[in-house]
PDB file of all heavy atoms in Angstrom:
ATOM      1  N   ALA A 230      -9.270  -6.772  11.860  1.00 78.00           N
ATOM      2  CA  ALA A 230      -8.555  -7.939  11.357  1.00 78.00           C
ATOM      3  C   ALA A 230      -7.065  -7.873  11.677  1.00 78.00           C
ATOM      4  O   ALA A 230      -6.497  -6.806  11.853  1.00 78.00           O
ATOM      5  CB  ALA A 230      -8.757  -8.036   9.853  1.00 78.00           C
ATOM      6  N   ASP A 231      -6.444  -9.041  11.723  1.00 88.00           N
ATOM      7  CA  ASP A 231      -5.008  -9.168  11.959  1.00 88.00           C
ATOM      8  C   ASP A 231      -4.285  -8.958  10.622  1.00 88.00           C
ATOM      9  O   ASP A 231      -4.307  -9.824   9.748  1.00 88.00           O
ATOM     10  CB  ASP A 231      -4.728 -10.566  12.533  1.00 88.00           C
ATOM     11  CG  ASP A 231      -3.265 -10.817  12.809  1.00 88.00           C
ATOM     12  OD1 ASP A 231      -2.403 -10.058  12.335  1.00 88.00           O
ATOM     13  OD2 ASP A 231      -2.980 -11.812  13.506  1.00 88.00           O
ATOM     14  N   ILE A 232      -3.635  -7.802  10.488  1.00 92.00           N
ATOM     15  CA  ILE A 232      -2.990  -7.441   9.220  1.00 92.00           C
ATOM     16  C   ILE A 232      -1.850  -8.394   8.870  1.00 92.00           C
ATOM     17  O   ILE A 232      -1.659  -8.759   7.711  1.00 92.00           O
ATOM     18  CB  ILE A 232      -2.493  -5.983   9.257  1.00 92.00           C
ATOM     19  CG1 ILE A 232      -3.674  -5.019   9.391  1.00 92.00           C
ATOM     20  CG2 ILE A 232      -1.673  -5.642   8.017  1.00 92.00           C
ATOM     21  CD1 ILE A 232      -4.694  -5.102   8.270  1.00 92.00           C
ATOM     22  N   ALA A 233      -1.086  -8.811   9.872  1.00 93.00           N
ATOM     23  CA  ALA A 233       0.025  -9.737   9.606  1.00 93.00           C
ATOM     24  C   ALA A 233      -0.509 -11.049   9.019  1.00 93.00           C
ATOM     25  O   ALA A 233       0.057 -11.591   8.065  1.00 93.00           O
ATOM     26  CB  ALA A 233       0.822  -9.997  10.878  1.00 93.00           C
ATOM     27  N   HIS A 234      -1.619 -11.546   9.575  1.00 94.00           N
ATOM     28  CA  HIS A 234      -2.224 -12.784   9.071  1.00 94.00           C
ATOM     29  C   HIS A 234      -2.764 -12.583   7.654  1.00 94.00           C
ATOM     30  O   HIS A 234      -2.560 -13.430   6.771  1.00 94.00           O
ATOM     31  CB  HIS A 234      -3.328 -13.244  10.021  1.00 94.00           C
ATOM     32  CG  HIS A 234      -4.019 -14.498   9.585  1.00 94.00           C
ATOM     33  ND1 HIS A 234      -3.352 -15.680   9.343  1.00 94.00           N
ATOM     34  CD2 HIS A 234      -5.330 -14.750   9.330  1.00 94.00           C
ATOM     35  CE1 HIS A 234      -4.214 -16.604   8.959  1.00 94.00           C
ATOM     36  NE2 HIS A 234      -5.423 -16.064   8.946  1.00 94.00           N
ATOM     37  N   LEU A 235      -3.442 -11.466   7.426  1.00 95.00           N
ATOM     38  CA  LEU A 235      -3.966 -11.188   6.091  1.00 95.00           C
ATOM     39  C   LEU A 235      -2.827 -11.080   5.074  1.00 95.00           C
ATOM     40  O   LEU A 235      -2.939 -11.577   3.951  1.00 95.00           O
ATOM     41  CB  LEU A 235      -4.778  -9.894   6.101  1.00 95.00           C
ATOM     42  CG  LEU A 235      -6.159  -9.995   6.742  1.00 95.00           C
ATOM     43  CD1 LEU A 235      -6.761  -8.611   6.931  1.00 95.00           C
ATOM     44  CD2 LEU A 235      -7.084 -10.858   5.890  1.00 95.00           C
ATOM     45  N   THR A 236      -1.729 -10.454   5.475  1.00 95.00           N
ATOM     46  CA  THR A 236      -0.575 -10.328   4.586  1.00 95.00           C
ATOM     47  C   THR A 236      -0.030 -11.710   4.220  1.00 95.00           C
ATOM     48  O   THR A 236       0.300 -11.964   3.054  1.00 95.00           O
ATOM     49  CB  THR A 236       0.524  -9.459   5.242  1.00 95.00           C
ATOM     50  OG1 THR A 236      -0.033  -8.160   5.512  1.00 95.00           O
ATOM     51  CG2 THR A 236       1.734  -9.317   4.347  1.00 95.00           C
ATOM     52  N   GLN A 237       0.014 -12.613   5.199  1.00 96.00           N
ATOM     53  CA  GLN A 237       0.486 -13.985   4.930  1.00 96.00           C
ATOM     54  C   GLN A 237      -0.430 -14.709   3.953  1.00 96.00           C
ATOM     55  O   GLN A 237       0.027 -15.539   3.159  1.00 96.00           O
ATOM     56  CB  GLN A 237       0.573 -14.788   6.231  1.00 96.00           C
ATOM     57  CG  GLN A 237       1.694 -14.361   7.141  1.00 96.00           C
ATOM     58  CD  GLN A 237       1.654 -15.095   8.470  1.00 96.00           C
ATOM     59  OE1 GLN A 237       0.664 -15.735   8.840  1.00 96.00           O
ATOM     60  NE2 GLN A 237       2.753 -15.000   9.216  1.00 96.00           N
ATOM     61  N   LEU A 238      -1.711 -14.400   3.982  1.00 96.00           N
ATOM     62  CA  LEU A 238      -2.666 -15.017   3.066  1.00 96.00           C
ATOM     63  C   LEU A 238      -2.595 -14.408   1.669  1.00 96.00           C
ATOM     64  O   LEU A 238      -2.727 -15.102   0.666  1.00 96.00           O
ATOM     65  CB  LEU A 238      -4.094 -14.858   3.600  1.00 96.00           C
ATOM     66  CG  LEU A 238      -4.438 -15.557   4.911  1.00 96.00           C
ATOM     67  CD1 LEU A 238      -5.809 -15.101   5.412  1.00 96.00           C
ATOM     68  CD2 LEU A 238      -4.409 -17.068   4.724  1.00 96.00           C
ATOM     69  N   ILE A 239      -2.373 -13.103   1.610  1.00 97.00           N
ATOM     70  CA  ILE A 239      -2.448 -12.375   0.344  1.00 97.00           C
ATOM     71  C   ILE A 239      -1.138 -12.403  -0.436  1.00 97.00           C
ATOM     72  O   ILE A 239      -1.144 -12.499  -1.668  1.00 97.00           O
ATOM     73  CB  ILE A 239      -2.898 -10.919   0.617  1.00 97.00           C
ATOM     74  CG1 ILE A 239      -4.348 -10.927   1.130  1.00 97.00           C
ATOM     75  CG2 ILE A 239      -2.739 -10.040  -0.607  1.00 97.00           C
ATOM     76  CD1 ILE A 239      -4.819  -9.613   1.713  1.00 97.00           C
ATOM     77  N   GLU A 240      -0.012 -12.352   0.259  1.00 97.00           N
ATOM     78  CA  GLU A 240       1.270 -12.266  -0.449  1.00 97.00           C
ATOM     79  C   GLU A 240       1.502 -13.405  -1.442  1.00 97.00           C
ATOM     80  O   GLU A 240       1.933 -13.162  -2.571  1.00 97.00           O
ATOM     81  CB  GLU A 240       2.436 -12.154   0.533  1.00 97.00           C
ATOM     82  CG  GLU A 240       3.736 -11.862  -0.178  1.00 97.00           C
ATOM     83  CD  GLU A 240       4.741 -11.151   0.696  1.00 97.00           C
ATOM     84  OE1 GLU A 240       4.689 -11.300   1.926  1.00 97.00           O
ATOM     85  OE2 GLU A 240       5.590 -10.459   0.118  1.00 97.00           O
ATOM     86  N   PRO A 241       1.207 -14.671  -1.085  1.00 97.00           N
ATOM     87  CA  PRO A 241       1.410 -15.740  -2.081  1.00 97.00           C
ATOM     88  C   PRO A 241       0.543 -15.566  -3.326  1.00 97.00           C
ATOM     89  O   PRO A 241       0.946 -15.948  -4.423  1.00 97.00           O
ATOM     90  CB  PRO A 241       1.024 -17.018  -1.326  1.00 97.00           C
ATOM     91  CG  PRO A 241       1.104 -16.677   0.121  1.00 97.00           C
ATOM     92  CD  PRO A 241       0.806 -15.213   0.217  1.00 97.00           C
ATOM     93  N   GLU A 242      -0.634 -14.987  -3.167  1.00 97.00           N
ATOM     94  CA  GLU A 242      -1.519 -14.757  -4.315  1.00 97.00           C
ATOM     95  C   GLU A 242      -0.923 -13.694  -5.229  1.00 97.00           C
ATOM     96  O   GLU A 242      -0.977 -13.821  -6.453  1.00 97.00           O
ATOM     97  CB  GLU A 242      -2.924 -14.362  -3.845  1.00 97.00           C
ATOM     98  CG  GLU A 242      -3.581 -15.382  -2.936  1.00 97.00           C
ATOM     99  CD  GLU A 242      -3.557 -16.795  -3.489  1.00 97.00           C
ATOM    100  OE1 GLU A 242      -3.868 -16.973  -4.691  1.00 97.00           O
ATOM    101  OE2 GLU A 242      -3.226 -17.732  -2.731  1.00 97.00           O
ATOM    102  N   ALA A 243      -0.359 -12.647  -4.644  1.00 97.00           N
ATOM    103  CA  ALA A 243       0.299 -11.606  -5.445  1.00 97.00           C
ATOM    104  C   ALA A 243       1.528 -12.182  -6.149  1.00 97.00           C
ATOM    105  O   ALA A 243       1.724 -11.976  -7.348  1.00 97.00           O
ATOM    106  CB  ALA A 243       0.687 -10.428  -4.554  1.00 97.00           C
ATOM    107  N   ARG A 244       2.334 -12.932  -5.423  1.00 97.00           N
ATOM    108  CA  ARG A 244       3.554 -13.520  -5.999  1.00 97.00           C
ATOM    109  C   ARG A 244       3.226 -14.482  -7.139  1.00 97.00           C
ATOM    110  O   ARG A 244       3.953 -14.535  -8.137  1.00 97.00           O
ATOM    111  CB  ARG A 244       4.350 -14.246  -4.925  1.00 97.00           C
ATOM    112  CG  ARG A 244       4.942 -13.337  -3.888  1.00 97.00           C
ATOM    113  CD  ARG A 244       6.441 -13.305  -4.009  1.00 97.00           C
ATOM    114  NE  ARG A 244       6.977 -12.406  -3.007  1.00 97.00           N
ATOM    115  CZ  ARG A 244       7.649 -11.312  -3.291  1.00 97.00           C
ATOM    116  NH1 ARG A 244       7.881 -10.991  -4.543  1.00 97.00           N
ATOM    117  NH2 ARG A 244       8.096 -10.537  -2.333  1.00 97.00           N
ATOM    118  N   ALA A 245       2.125 -15.234  -6.992  1.00 97.00           N
ATOM    119  CA  ALA A 245       1.731 -16.188  -8.040  1.00 97.00           C
ATOM    120  C   ALA A 245       1.456 -15.481  -9.364  1.00 97.00           C
ATOM    121  O   ALA A 245       1.601 -16.070 -10.428  1.00 97.00           O
ATOM    122  CB  ALA A 245       0.505 -16.985  -7.590  1.00 97.00           C
ATOM    123  N   LEU A 246       1.064 -14.215  -9.293  1.00 97.00           N
ATOM    124  CA  LEU A 246       0.807 -13.432 -10.495  1.00 97.00           C
ATOM    125  C   LEU A 246       2.036 -12.625 -10.928  1.00 97.00           C
ATOM    126  O   LEU A 246       1.980 -11.873 -11.901  1.00 97.00           O
ATOM    127  CB  LEU A 246      -0.378 -12.486 -10.257  1.00 97.00           C
ATOM    128  CG  LEU A 246      -1.732 -13.170 -10.047  1.00 97.00           C
ATOM    129  CD1 LEU A 246      -2.776 -12.162  -9.581  1.00 97.00           C
ATOM    130  CD2 LEU A 246      -2.184 -13.862 -11.328  1.00 97.00           C
ATOM    131  N   GLY A 247       3.132 -12.760 -10.178  1.00 97.00           N
ATOM    132  CA  GLY A 247       4.356 -12.032 -10.509  1.00 97.00           C
ATOM    133  C   GLY A 247       4.402 -10.629  -9.941  1.00 97.00           C
ATOM    134  O   GLY A 247       5.208  -9.805 -10.368  1.00 97.00           O
ATOM    135  N   PHE A 248       3.546 -10.331  -8.945  1.00 97.00           N
ATOM    136  CA  PHE A 248       3.467  -8.998  -8.361  1.00 97.00           C
ATOM    137  C   PHE A 248       4.201  -8.963  -7.029  1.00 97.00           C
ATOM    138  O   PHE A 248       4.284  -9.970  -6.321  1.00 97.00           O
ATOM    139  CB  PHE A 248       2.020  -8.575  -8.104  1.00 97.00           C
ATOM    140  CG  PHE A 248       1.103  -8.688  -9.293  1.00 97.00           C
ATOM    141  CD1 PHE A 248      -0.252  -8.899  -9.102  1.00 97.00           C
ATOM    142  CD2 PHE A 248       1.574  -8.581 -10.595  1.00 97.00           C
ATOM    143  CE1 PHE A 248      -1.117  -8.998 -10.182  1.00 97.00           C
ATOM    144  CE2 PHE A 248       0.715  -8.682 -11.685  1.00 97.00           C
ATOM    145  CZ  PHE A 248      -0.636  -8.893 -11.469  1.00 97.00           C
ATOM    146  N   ASP A 249       4.678  -7.783  -6.661  1.00 96.00           N
ATOM    147  CA  ASP A 249       5.209  -7.546  -5.319  1.00 96.00           C
ATOM    148  C   ASP A 249       4.113  -6.887  -4.503  1.00 96.00           C
ATOM    149  O   ASP A 249       3.463  -5.934  -4.970  1.00 96.00           O
ATOM    150  CB  ASP A 249       6.422  -6.607  -5.359  1.00 96.00           C
ATOM    151  CG  ASP A 249       7.659  -7.268  -5.936  1.00 96.00           C
ATOM    152  OD1 ASP A 249       7.716  -8.514  -5.955  1.00 96.00           O
ATOM    153  OD2 ASP A 249       8.566  -6.540  -6.365  1.00 96.00           O
ATOM    154  N   LEU A 250       3.911  -7.360  -3.293  1.00 96.00           N
ATOM    155  CA  LEU A 250       2.926  -6.769  -2.401  1.00 96.00           C
ATOM    156  C   LEU A 250       3.530  -5.515  -1.781  1.00 96.00           C
ATOM    157  O   LEU A 250       4.642  -5.547  -1.253  1.00 96.00           O
ATOM    158  CB  LEU A 250       2.547  -7.786  -1.320  1.00 96.00           C
ATOM    159  CG  LEU A 250       1.344  -7.458  -0.452  1.00 96.00           C
ATOM    160  CD1 LEU A 250       0.082  -7.314  -1.296  1.00 96.00           C
ATOM    161  CD2 LEU A 250       1.151  -8.557   0.585  1.00 96.00           C
ATOM    162  N   VAL A 251       2.820  -4.408  -1.857  1.00 95.00           N
ATOM    163  CA  VAL A 251       3.299  -3.142  -1.318  1.00 95.00           C
ATOM    164  C   VAL A 251       2.695  -2.883   0.059  1.00 95.00           C
ATOM    165  O   VAL A 251       3.389  -2.518   0.994  1.00 95.00           O
ATOM    166  CB  VAL A 251       2.971  -1.968  -2.273  1.00 95.00           C
ATOM    167  CG1 VAL A 251       3.338  -0.629  -1.650  1.00 95.00           C
ATOM    168  CG2 VAL A 251       3.684  -2.161  -3.602  1.00 95.00           C
ATOM    169  N   ARG A 252       1.373  -3.081   0.190  1.00 95.00           N
ATOM    170  CA  ARG A 252       0.734  -2.803   1.480  1.00 95.00           C
ATOM    171  C   ARG A 252      -0.581  -3.547   1.596  1.00 95.00           C
ATOM    172  O   ARG A 252      -1.325  -3.692   0.630  1.00 95.00           O
ATOM    173  CB  ARG A 252       0.478  -1.300   1.618  1.00 95.00           C
ATOM    174  CG  ARG A 252      -0.284  -0.947   2.888  1.00 95.00           C
ATOM    175  CD  ARG A 252      -0.289   0.509   3.193  1.00 95.00           C
ATOM    176  NE  ARG A 252      -1.233   1.252   2.364  1.00 95.00           N
ATOM    177  CZ  ARG A 252      -1.330   2.575   2.404  1.00 95.00           C
ATOM    178  NH1 ARG A 252      -0.547   3.281   3.182  1.00 95.00           N
ATOM    179  NH2 ARG A 252      -2.210   3.188   1.648  1.00 95.00           N
ATOM    180  N   VAL A 253      -0.866  -3.998   2.820  1.00 95.00           N
ATOM    181  CA  VAL A 253      -2.169  -4.535   3.198  1.00 95.00           C
ATOM    182  C   VAL A 253      -2.609  -3.704   4.399  1.00 95.00           C
ATOM    183  O   VAL A 253      -1.873  -3.574   5.375  1.00 95.00           O
ATOM    184  CB  VAL A 253      -2.098  -6.035   3.583  1.00 95.00           C
ATOM    185  CG1 VAL A 253      -3.456  -6.525   4.077  1.00 95.00           C
ATOM    186  CG2 VAL A 253      -1.616  -6.867   2.405  1.00 95.00           C
ATOM    187  N   LYS A 254      -3.811  -3.125   4.300  1.00 93.00           N
ATOM    188  CA  LYS A 254      -4.263  -2.215   5.363  1.00 93.00           C
ATOM    189  C   LYS A 254      -5.777  -2.289   5.488  1.00 93.00           C
ATOM    190  O   LYS A 254      -6.480  -2.396   4.484  1.00 93.00           O
ATOM    191  CB  LYS A 254      -3.833  -0.787   5.001  1.00 93.00           C
ATOM    192  CG  LYS A 254      -4.205   0.273   5.991  1.00 93.00           C
ATOM    193  CD  LYS A 254      -3.682   1.632   5.525  1.00 93.00           C
ATOM    194  CE  LYS A 254      -4.026   2.714   6.517  1.00 93.00           C
ATOM    195  NZ  LYS A 254      -3.503   4.026   6.091  1.00 93.00           N
ATOM    196  N   MET A 255      -6.271  -2.224   6.703  1.00 92.00           N
ATOM    197  CA  MET A 255      -7.710  -2.110   6.958  1.00 92.00           C
ATOM    198  C   MET A 255      -7.972  -0.672   7.373  1.00 92.00           C
ATOM    199  O   MET A 255      -7.241  -0.114   8.188  1.00 92.00           O
ATOM    200  CB  MET A 255      -8.162  -3.036   8.089  1.00 92.00           C
ATOM    201  CG  MET A 255      -8.253  -4.492   7.738  1.00 92.00           C
ATOM    202  SD  MET A 255      -9.532  -4.980   6.543  1.00 92.00           S
ATOM    203  CE  MET A 255     -11.053  -4.475   7.304  1.00 92.00           C
ATOM    204  N   PHE A 256      -9.012  -0.080   6.807  1.00 89.00           N
ATOM    205  CA  PHE A 256      -9.409   1.259   7.245  1.00 89.00           C
ATOM    206  C   PHE A 256     -10.912   1.399   7.100  1.00 89.00           C
ATOM    207  O   PHE A 256     -11.575   0.513   6.572  1.00 89.00           O
ATOM    208  CB  PHE A 256      -8.650   2.355   6.468  1.00 89.00           C
ATOM    209  CG  PHE A 256      -8.936   2.396   5.000  1.00 89.00           C
ATOM    210  CD1 PHE A 256      -9.972   3.160   4.502  1.00 89.00           C
ATOM    211  CD2 PHE A 256      -8.155   1.670   4.104  1.00 89.00           C
ATOM    212  CE1 PHE A 256     -10.237   3.208   3.139  1.00 89.00           C
ATOM    213  CE2 PHE A 256      -8.414   1.711   2.747  1.00 89.00           C
ATOM    214  CZ  PHE A 256      -9.460   2.485   2.269  1.00 89.00           C
ATOM    215  N   GLY A 257     -11.455   2.488   7.591  1.00 85.00           N
ATOM    216  CA  GLY A 257     -12.884   2.744   7.467  1.00 85.00           C
ATOM    217  C   GLY A 257     -13.675   2.417   8.719  1.00 85.00           C
ATOM    218  O   GLY A 257     -14.835   2.780   8.821  1.00 85.00           O
ATOM    219  N   GLY A 258     -13.051   1.723   9.679  1.00 82.00           N
ATOM    220  CA  GLY A 258     -13.747   1.401  10.926  1.00 82.00           C
ATOM    221  C   GLY A 258     -14.992   0.571  10.702  1.00 82.00           C
ATOM    222  O   GLY A 258     -15.122  -0.154   9.722  1.00 82.00           O
ATOM    223  N   LYS A 259     -15.934   0.676  11.618  1.00 83.00           N
ATOM    224  CA  LYS A 259     -17.175  -0.117  11.562  1.00 83.00           C
ATOM    225  C   LYS A 259     -18.116   0.367  10.464  1.00 83.00           C
ATOM    226  O   LYS A 259     -18.893  -0.399   9.917  1.00 83.00           O
ATOM    227  CB  LYS A 259     -17.907  -0.060  12.907  1.00 83.00           C
ATOM    228  CG  LYS A 259     -17.187  -0.777  14.025  1.00 83.00           C
ATOM    229  CD  LYS A 259     -17.541  -2.223  14.007  1.00 83.00           C
ATOM    230  CE  LYS A 259     -16.967  -2.917  15.239  1.00 83.00           C
ATOM    231  NZ  LYS A 259     -17.028  -4.343  15.130  1.00 83.00           N
ATOM    232  N   SER A 260     -18.046   1.667  10.132  1.00 84.00           N
ATOM    233  CA  SER A 260     -19.008   2.222   9.173  1.00 84.00           C
ATOM    234  C   SER A 260     -18.737   1.780   7.733  1.00 84.00           C
ATOM    235  O   SER A 260     -19.673   1.558   6.976  1.00 84.00           O
ATOM    236  CB  SER A 260     -19.011   3.746   9.262  1.00 84.00           C
ATOM    237  OG  SER A 260     -17.741   4.262   8.917  1.00 84.00           O
ATOM    238  N   ASP A 261     -17.482   1.665   7.356  1.00 86.00           N
ATOM    239  CA  ASP A 261     -17.147   1.288   5.982  1.00 86.00           C
ATOM    240  C   ASP A 261     -15.822   0.524   5.973  1.00 86.00           C
ATOM    241  O   ASP A 261     -14.827   1.006   5.432  1.00 86.00           O
ATOM    242  CB  ASP A 261     -17.049   2.540   5.100  1.00 86.00           C
ATOM    243  CG  ASP A 261     -16.803   2.210   3.644  1.00 86.00           C
ATOM    244  OD1 ASP A 261     -17.176   1.106   3.206  1.00 86.00           O
ATOM    245  OD2 ASP A 261     -16.221   3.058   2.928  1.00 86.00           O
ATOM    246  N   PRO A 262     -15.783  -0.664   6.576  1.00 90.00           N
ATOM    247  CA  PRO A 262     -14.516  -1.388   6.627  1.00 90.00           C
ATOM    248  C   PRO A 262     -14.029  -1.761   5.230  1.00 90.00           C
ATOM    249  O   PRO A 262     -14.787  -2.283   4.415  1.00 90.00           O
ATOM    250  CB  PRO A 262     -14.818  -2.627   7.463  1.00 90.00           C
ATOM    251  CG  PRO A 262     -16.299  -2.768   7.447  1.00 90.00           C
ATOM    252  CD  PRO A 262     -16.874  -1.415   7.188  1.00 90.00           C
ATOM    253  N   THR A 263     -12.780  -1.433   4.971  1.00 93.00           N
ATOM    254  CA  THR A 263     -12.183  -1.681   3.668  1.00 93.00           C
ATOM    255  C   THR A 263     -10.835  -2.357   3.850  1.00 93.00           C
ATOM    256  O   THR A 263     -10.010  -1.897   4.638  1.00 93.00           O
ATOM    257  CB  THR A 263     -12.000  -0.357   2.897  1.00 93.00           C
ATOM    258  OG1 THR A 263     -13.278   0.251   2.730  1.00 93.00           O
ATOM    259  CG2 THR A 263     -11.363  -0.584   1.543  1.00 93.00           C
ATOM    260  N   LEU A 264     -10.636  -3.450   3.134  1.00 94.00           N
ATOM    261  CA  LEU A 264      -9.336  -4.118   3.086  1.00 94.00           C
ATOM    262  C   LEU A 264      -8.651  -3.582   1.834  1.00 94.00           C
ATOM    263  O   LEU A 264      -9.087  -3.846   0.719  1.00 94.00           O
ATOM    264  CB  LEU A 264      -9.502  -5.632   2.999  1.00 94.00           C
ATOM    265  CG  LEU A 264      -8.226  -6.443   2.749  1.00 94.00           C
ATOM    266  CD1 LEU A 264      -7.196  -6.229   3.856  1.00 94.00           C
ATOM    267  CD2 LEU A 264      -8.556  -7.927   2.603  1.00 94.00           C
ATOM    268  N   GLN A 265      -7.600  -2.807   2.047  1.00 95.00           N
ATOM    269  CA  GLN A 265      -6.855  -2.221   0.931  1.00 95.00           C
ATOM    270  C   GLN A 265      -5.604  -3.048   0.671  1.00 95.00           C
ATOM    271  O   GLN A 265      -4.823  -3.305   1.579  1.00 95.00           O
ATOM    272  CB  GLN A 265      -6.446  -0.782   1.264  1.00 95.00           C
ATOM    273  CG  GLN A 265      -5.655  -0.122   0.146  1.00 95.00           C
ATOM    274  CD  GLN A 265      -5.052   1.183   0.599  1.00 95.00           C
ATOM    275  OE1 GLN A 265      -4.193   1.198   1.470  1.00 95.00           O
ATOM    276  NE2 GLN A 265      -5.522   2.275   0.015  1.00 95.00           N
TER     277      GLN A 265
END
Side-chain angles (χ1 to χ4, degrees):
D231 180 346
I232 296 301
H234 179 57
L235 285 169
T236 301
Q237 289 174 346
L238 295 170
I239 293 168
E240 188 154 26
E242 302 309 314
R244 292 249 179 243
L246 294 170
F248 307 152
D249 288 340
L250 191 60
V251 174
R252 175 168 77 185
V253 175
K254 181 178 181 179
M255 285 293 300
F256 64 89
K259 292 275 187 193
S260 62
D261 184 26
T263 300
L264 172 60
Q265 179 191 65

